[in-house]
Every structure is written in C-alpha cells, then in structure tokens.
Amino acid sequence: MAMETSAESPVPVRTVLQAVSGWIGKLGRIWVEGQITDLNARGGTVYLTLRDPVANMSVRVVGPRAVFEAAGPAVTDGARVVVHAKPDFWINRGSFSLSALEVRPVGVGELLARLERLKRVLASEGLFRPERKRALPFLPGKIGLICGRDSDAEHDVLENARRRWPAVSFRVENTAVQGSYAVGEVMEALRALDADPEIDVIIIARGGGAMEDLLPFSDEALVRAVAAARTPVVSAIGHEQDSPILDLVADVRASTPTDAAKKAVPDVREQLQLVRQLRDRGRRCLAGGVERERAWLKAIRSRPALADPVREVERQSERVLALRDRARRCLSGALDRAGDELSHTRARLLALSPAATLERGYAIVQREDASVVRESASVKDGEHLHVRLSDGRLGVTVTERAGS
C-alpha cells in the first residue's frame, strides 16, 4: 500500500527505510544467476559484485567464507554462479545487498544444456534459416570490424584483407571480447556500425579460447541484435572447432579471422587473372566469329552469281529467248490446228447444207407461212406455194395433183 505524504505531512527517513526494508523482506529467499566480479574476502566474510551477463546491472553479495569455500575453487572472478540468497536492506546506510546462503558454480555441462535450449528456441523462430542469410557485396566500400584491442584477430583481419585488396577501408571498434562487459560493448559497437551508411559488411572477430571465454558470443541478446542488423554480418569467433550461436545466425560464418578477411574481400591477383582470362576468351570468341564471317563471305563471293554476274544475266536472257520461241511455236501450232479444224468444219457444213442439195437440181416447196410441203396430199388445189431453187424462188399455183 502506498504511503500518503505531502509537503505539510512528510514522513521521517526511518519510516521510508523501514517500509522499503519490509517490501524487500517479502521477496523471501531467491536463486540468482550472474557473473562474479570484484571478489574480495576479509576475515570470515566474502564480498563480491554479481553482474548480469547481458544488461549493465549488478548487485552486491555478502556471505560467510565457508559458503564460498564449499562451492569449490571454481568460484573466482569472471565465473558464472547461481546464488541462493536472502535480500537484505541495511536501514542505517540505506543500501541493498544479497546475503549468500549457498553458491553453485555453473558447470560446463549445464552451460551446454542451456545453449542447446537457446538454439532450439532461436531455430523455432527461424533465425537460422538459410533464406535469411544475405550475400556479401563483391567489393565492400568500407568494412566494420569488432574485435579486441591490439588482438591477433584484429591483426589477422586487417593484414590479410589489405594483402588481398590494398585499397580496402576499415572502421575498427575495439571492445571486450570476454568477461562480463563483452556482450554490452559488442552490441553497442554493432549498433554504431550498423547505423553507419558507409559500412557494407560487419566482421565480429575473436581468437580461440576456452568455451567459457566464448560464451558472450552465444548470448541471446547479442544473437538477436545480429539477426536484426541491416548490414551483413560475418562471424569469425575462435577456430574451426568452435561454434558459438553467433555463427548460426550470422549471414556468413568464417572458421577463423583470416578466413573472414578472405570471404569479405576479393583477392586482387585472382580478379586480375580472371579479367585476363575473360579478356583472352573474349578475343578468341571475337576472332573466331570474324573468321567464320570471312569464310562465309568468301563462299558467297565464289558462287557463280557473284563471281560472274554478266554470265547469269546472259543465262537468264537465253532462257527468256527459249521460252519466247517455245511460246511462238506453241501458238503457231495451236493456230494451224484451229485453221485445219475450221476448214474441216466448213467442208462438213457445206456438204450438209440445203444449198448444196438445191444445186444438184432439187427444190424446196413452202407454203405462204414458210412451212415446208412434205406430202402432195397435204396440198390443196389452187393453193399458192413458193418453190425455192438454187438461184432463187418461184411462186406457183396448184392446178393438178398426181400420185407418186
């Protein structure tokens, strides 16, 4: 329940501190995990600071020497421990601390189990999927490097990168690469480099070491920060056999810092050799194409139509003349055949014509209506008839009819 106070009705300091002590006392005994720093033993009491491995927070821990000695020699500066403690608030000084009741070092087996659990969680979220990986640029304008100050990793990356491409540019961020400050400093350097528009690739490099020394690069907060970075990240932590979780979420995993330099920067000698090879290949392709076109042109020019164009014109002229003569012969033959057929038809018409019959002495007798008299019985006495002869017509009147 909140205190009711005002400027007119303030409460004494002791009341406030007693209330805070009461609230803290309600926490009871708790288990706390952290990293030991500032370990100091005076008499029968041990004093230390327990730091959060991710956030920049810490708490004072006080406990009997026997409690820490029971935990074994593993309880030293930098060690991760789990402390069973009772929260205490010292009213006289207004300070908070934890009174240690039991201390347990976090063993390698337990650390590995925690890392495996974290891997499963991150994998289920898809942070290790290959399709999330971004390709590195062919030739980065500037490379961001996160490493320890004056470390072998820094020297290896810079030396090998400049040996491969002398004009390469770096922005180096020196941070702690092990211990309680490593995660926070590496994340801060990552944010600074990721926000720099000139940085095309970020390399996080560290030399080899014990598993405990590489734990900061398996920290969940750092891993998620790398996954969220907009700039491609190369992880170069430890040696080939070392595999922190950072290797799984980074866009490119390098086995060593030297390997990171090789993957981030092309070798100028190899590129010049490739350019020469491509140039020679281009020349061969171009020369081959020109040679093929020359051969084709030579073959075309050797054809009769192009080798002696006049001869082709003469040949076509002879063909035209031959076709003309053939047409004339065909037409003349057709006309002769038509003339002969016409003569034969005329002769047949003349032979069958009534005029020819009349010329032989026959006559055609017709009535007034031009109908032909075929029988004498059909003629009446006194009927006027017309007689057609070969040289004209006669008009006659029937006066007598005689039988045949």
Side-chain angles (χ1 to χ4, degrees):
M1 185 174 62
M3 288 186 177
E4 296 183 0
T5 63
S6 65
E8 292 74 18
S9 301
V11 295
V13 172
R14 63 179 179 276
T15 303
V16 175
L17 296 180
Q18 288 172 354
V20 171
S21 178
W23 295 332
I24 292 176
K26 294 178 181 178
L27 290 176
R29 296 181 178 185
I30 55 176
W31 288 95
V32 183
E33 180 185 358
Q35 190 172 27
I36 295 177
T37 61
D38 302 330
L39 181 64
N40 185 20
R42 293 197 298 268
T45 306
V46 175
Y47 304 88
L48 60 88
T49 300
L50 194 65
R51 288 186 56 85
D52 188 283
V54 177
N56 189 20
M57 300 179 183
S58 60
V59 63
R60 191 69 173 164
V61 178
V62 181
R65 181 189 290 267
V67 171
F68 289 89
E69 289 178 348
V75 179
T76 59
D77 270 331
R80 279 200 175 190
V81 294
V82 176
V83 180
H84 190 210
K86 176 180 178 299
D88 281 333
F89 184 76
W90 298 90
I91 296 179
N92 294 338
R93 296 193 301 269
S95 62
F96 173 78
S97 65
L98 295 176
S99 295
L101 304 174
E102 183 181 354
V103 179
R104 296 181 183 178
V106 177
V108 174
E110 186 175 353
L111 286 176
L112 291 176
R114 291 184 183 181
L115 293 181
E116 288 301 321
R117 287 195 296 269
L118 179 57
K119 283 183 183 179
R120 288 194 294 271
V121 171
L122 298 177
S124 66
E125 296 178 11
L127 297 187
F128 302 158
R129 292 200 308 267
E131 53 269 24
R132 291 190 69 257
K133 310 292 184 181
R134 292 161 294 187
L136 301 182
F138 167 71
L139 182 60
K142 180 177 283 189
I143 300 175
L145 175 61
I146 301 175
C147 59
R149 185 179 303 278
D150 298 326
S151 61
D152 291 338
E154 178 181 1
H155 176 269
D156 289 346
V157 173
L158 297 180
E159 182 67 22
N160 284 279
R162 287 169 179 158
R163 185 183 300 127
R164 292 171 64 83
W165 199 278
V168 66
S169 176
F170 275 90
R171 175 181 168 182
V172 181
E173 294 287 339
N174 294 122
T175 65
V177 290
Q178 70 182 56
S180 58
Y181 298 98
V183 174
E185 292 185 9
V186 171
M187 289 178 62
E188 185 62 31
L190 177 66
R191 281 192 290 268
L193 293 176
D194 194 39
D196 189 344
E198 296 183 353
I199 300 298
D200 296 324
V201 178
I202 299 174
I203 299 176
I204 303 177
R206 186 202 189 283
M211 189 198 74
E212 293 82 356
D213 296 335
L214 302 182
L215 282 178
F217 300 99
S218 294
D219 184 84
E220 182 177 1
L222 176 57
V223 168
R224 292 188 181 277
V226 170
R230 65 168 186 84
T231 309
V233 177
V234 179
S235 174
I237 307 302
H239 301 299
E240 179 68 34
Q241 66 273 14
D242 298 319
S243 57
I245 298 179
L246 182 63
D247 285 351
L248 302 176
V249 77
D251 297 288
V252 175
R253 189 246 179 188
S255 57
T256 61
T258 300
D259 185 45
K262 294 180 179 180
K263 290 184 175 180
V265 180
D267 190 335
V268 65
R269 292 184 294 264
E270 293 178 358
Q271 297 305 314
L272 289 175
Q273 179 65 23
L274 178 60
V275 169
R276 285 192 291 269
Q277 292 175 357
L278 293 176
R279 182 185 59 194
D280 294 341
R281 180 181 177 186
R283 285 177 175 173
R284 290 193 299 271
C285 291
L286 183 59
V290 171
E291 188 60 32
R292 285 193 298 272
E293 293 301 320
R294 283 179 176 175
W296 175 81
L297 183 58
K298 183 178 180 180
I300 290 295
R301 293 179 61 187
S302 65
R303 293 181 180 179
L306 295 179
D308 188 4
V310 176
R311 175 57 188 156
E312 181 63 19
V313 173
E314 291 175 349
R315 189 177 69 82
Q316 294 298 332
S317 177
E318 292 173 356
R319 184 181 178 189
V320 170
L321 293 176
L323 291 175
R324 184 193 65 184
D325 294 341
R326 179 181 177 185
R328 284 177 176 176
R329 289 194 301 271
C330 290
L331 181 59
S332 177
L335 290 176
D336 291 343
R337 288 191 299 273
D340 294 342
E341 185 177 355
L342 183 61
S343 298
H344 295 157
T345 302
R346 183 172 179 274
R348 287 196 300 272
L349 287 176
L350 290 175
L352 297 175
S353 173
T357 303
L358 294 177
E359 288 180 356
R360 293 198 299 271
Y362 291 93
I364 298 175
V365 180
Q366 294 177 310
R367 294 185 178 87
E368 290 290 337
D369 59 1
S371 61
V372 177
V373 177
R374 301 181 183 278
E375 298 176 352
S376 61
S378 63
V379 179
K380 297 177 182 180
D381 293 339
E383 184 176 358
H384 185 72
L385 301 173
H386 296 281
V387 178
R388 183 177 178 180
L389 304 173
S390 62
D391 58 350
R393 293 189 179 197
L394 296 176
V396 298
T397 302
V398 178
T399 58
E400 182 180 0
R401 293 182 295 173
S404 52

